[in-house]
């Protein structure tokens, strides 16, 4: 009996619960770390807001903009914003960049409901002012009905002036809803349909206003729509044509909160993938304070939720262009050959969340290979669906190297695949970065209720993710 236990201890593996495995100090640090993370979630609900926050943060930490013509060649802490949609930040190490860099790459876009390009209309029957919408990313449409929404975004006026919109986050702001159907009348319209068909994109109109524009008590045709435009013009100087090029996004209104009676978790919109964006940024800021050999880089990309295309996505030239800029800035050859070799010599964590095993729907997970809340950051060798279709498959050599690093640095980690093999699947930006020949593996915390309005994470996993990224950026 004794022998079996000794052998078991020596050669078998089981994932470790952070709360049992770590010291009280470590647990306190995890709790404390989440306080600023919640603040980040509250002010960064869109990709542009995430970039604005990041720039502000970097400037207080003395990072310099590579696009600033007065930047000194000797600056070791630099960043670059790409088309206001993506950002990259680097701490330049002592070794030549061409020997390879360590990268943590996350995304800052989130599933949401966008306004259509020509959004405003007036419903003739109800005389309500409506905003037409177009959902973005993998959402379950019904979740977005009858829940308070805020309007965030940017409108550029005909004279070029930029207007930032943020309605619904302050206590005195109004909020908006897309009204769902009452159950009393939903028997045929919704209840007999599949869940995917119960709410269609065409049902997702936002009620924007209800008071008509009037002159001397005269009723004006489409007066409700006119009054909506009038209010927008009075408040922001925006005309209807300005809306046609705007980016306006509906996101859940409200703030990140502690989850659970023990406050061990966080409930918030947008933790996929702001949990990785935030932890990566914090890790890089810490790396700045230590002397490192290899250059450390954090990328925050747009458009992951819709396939990583478009100008700020991980498939854009920005990924390689920033490295070329760094080579040039560091006095190294930034030509195509050297750039390719730099990328091939580089290590990447594709920093994205994973699906934690859900006690309400255990049948889609395979517990032994799934991510468990509170057991640390998850490493996913591959993603994809079915027979690993469309996945990045990290090499065993690279995965082993990362695991050894995490063990050395006392990072709580676990393996994690998305779900049972034939249940579905999903991908990350990993495969787009691997195309350039870098070593890439997916690494991030588990999330419960991913892509819902209120995603749940464990503070233990958030903190473990930060520790993992810091170890990787400074020592991989
Ligand atoms: Mn993600
Ligand atoms: Mn996602």
């Amino acid at each position: 009996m004794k022998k079996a236990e000794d052998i078991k201890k020596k050669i078998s593996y089981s994932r470790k619960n952070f709360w049992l495995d770590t010291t009280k100090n470590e647990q306190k640090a995890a709790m404390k770390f989440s306080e600023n993370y919640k603040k980040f979630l509250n002010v960064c609900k869109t990709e542009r807001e995430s970039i604005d926050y990041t720039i502000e943060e970097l400037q207080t930490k003395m990072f310099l903009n590579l696009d600033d013509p007065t930047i000194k060649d000797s600056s070791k802490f630099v960043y670059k914003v790409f088309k206001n949609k993506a950002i990259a930040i680097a701490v330049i190490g002592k070794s030549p960049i061409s020997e390879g860099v360590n990268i943590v790459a996350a995304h800052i876009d989130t599933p949401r409901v966008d306004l259509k390009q020509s959004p405003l209309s007036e419903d003739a029957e109800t005389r309500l002012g409506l905003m037409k919408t177009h959902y973005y990313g993998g959402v379950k449409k019904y979740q977005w009905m009858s829940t308070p929404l805020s309007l965030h975004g940017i409108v550029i006026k005909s004279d070029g002036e930029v207007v930032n919109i943020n309605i619904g986050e302050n206590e005195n702001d109004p909020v908006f809803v897309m009204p769902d159907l009452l159950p009393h009348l939903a028997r045929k319209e919704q209840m007999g349909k599949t869940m995917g068909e119960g709410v269609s994109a065409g049902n997702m109109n936002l009620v924007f206003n209800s008071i008509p524009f009037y002159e001397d008590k005269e009723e004006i045709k489409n007066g409700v729509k006119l009054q909506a435009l009038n209010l927008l013009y009075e408040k922001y100087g925006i005309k209807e044509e300005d809306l046609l090029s705007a980016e306006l996004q509906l996101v859940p209104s409200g703030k990140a909160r502690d989850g659970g009676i023990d406050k061990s978790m966080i409930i918030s919109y947008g933790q996929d993938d702001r949990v990785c964006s935030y932890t990566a940024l914090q890790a890089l800021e810490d790396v700045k304070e230590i002397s490192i050999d290899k250059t450390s880089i954090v990328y925050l990309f747009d458009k992951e939720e819709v396939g990583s295309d478009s100008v700020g996505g991980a498939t854009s030239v920005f990924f390689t262009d920033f490295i070329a800029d760094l080579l040039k800035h560091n006095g190294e050859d930034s030509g195509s050959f050297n750039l390719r070799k730099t990328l091939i010599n580089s290590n990447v964590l594709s920093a994205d969340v994973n699906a934690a095993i859900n006690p309400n729907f255990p049948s889609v997970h395979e517990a032994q290979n799934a991510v468990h809340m509170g057991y640390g950051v998850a490493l996913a060798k591959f993603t994809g669906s079915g027979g690993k279709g469309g996945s990045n498959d990290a090499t065993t050599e690279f995965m082993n190297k990362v695991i050894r690093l995490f063990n050395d640095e006392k990072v709580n980690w676990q393996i994690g695949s998305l779900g049972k093999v034939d249940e579905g699947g999903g991908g990350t930006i990993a495969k787009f970065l691997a195309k350039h020949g870098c070593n890439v593996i997916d690494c991030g915390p588990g999330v419960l209720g991913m892509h819902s309005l209120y995603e749940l994470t464990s503070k233990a996993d958030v903190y473990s993710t930060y520790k993992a990224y810091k170890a990787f950026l400074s020592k991989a």
Side-chain angles (χ1 to χ4, degrees), residues 94-105:
K94 286 177 286 193
S95 307
I97 290 170
S98 53
E99 287 179 10
V101 297
N102 293 326
I103 297 171
V104 175

Side-chain angles (χ1 to χ4, degrees), residues 267-412:
I267 298 175
S268 171
Y269 169 68
Q271 299 200 69
D272 171 11
D273 188 29
R274 297 213 173 82
V275 62
C276 298
S277 314
Y278 180 76
T279 48
L281 197 58
Q282 293 307 306
L284 191 69
E285 283 178 9
D286 286 1
V287 166
K288 176 175 176 278
E289 306 305 323
I290 50 187
S291 167
I292 50 166
D293 278 332
K294 281 196 198 170
T295 291
S296 300
I297 301 176
V298 166
Y299 282 90
L300 303 178
F301 288 113
D302 187 24
K303 291 293 181 289
E304 191 278 339
E305 297 294 356
V306 292
S308 291
D309 295 315
S310 291
V311 78
T315 59
S316 125
V317 73
F318 179 51
F319 179 60
T320 53
D321 191 58
F322 180 69
I323 309 261
D325 282 350
L326 282 184
L327 286 166
K328 185 163 171 257
H329 176 74
N330 209 37
E332 297 177 54
D333 174 12
S334 60
S336 156
F337 181 84
N338 206 39
L339 176 59
R340 286 204 313 275
K341 296 304 169 203
T342 304
L343 288 158
I344 288 168
N345 290 335
S346 294
N347 297 318
V348 183
L349 290 186
S350 164
D352 209 341
V353 296
N354 205 314
I357 186 163
N358 187 328
N360 285 332
F361 301 93
S363 69
V364 302
H365 302 281
E366 192 258 293
Q368 187 171 323
N369 283 282
V371 182
H372 295 238
M373 293 266 285
Y375 285 76
V377 68
L379 279 169
K381 188 172 184 299
F382 51 83
T383 54
S385 64
K388 305 190 180 181
S391 80
N392 166 67
D393 196 350
T395 63
T396 187
E397 290 86 349
F398 183 53
M399 184 164 178
N400 172 270
K401 178 182 157 141
V402 173
I403 288 173
R404 276 187 288 143
L405 173 68
F406 287 178
N407 284 339
D408 288 348
E409 298 296 312
K410 303 215 170 349
V411 173
N412 283 68

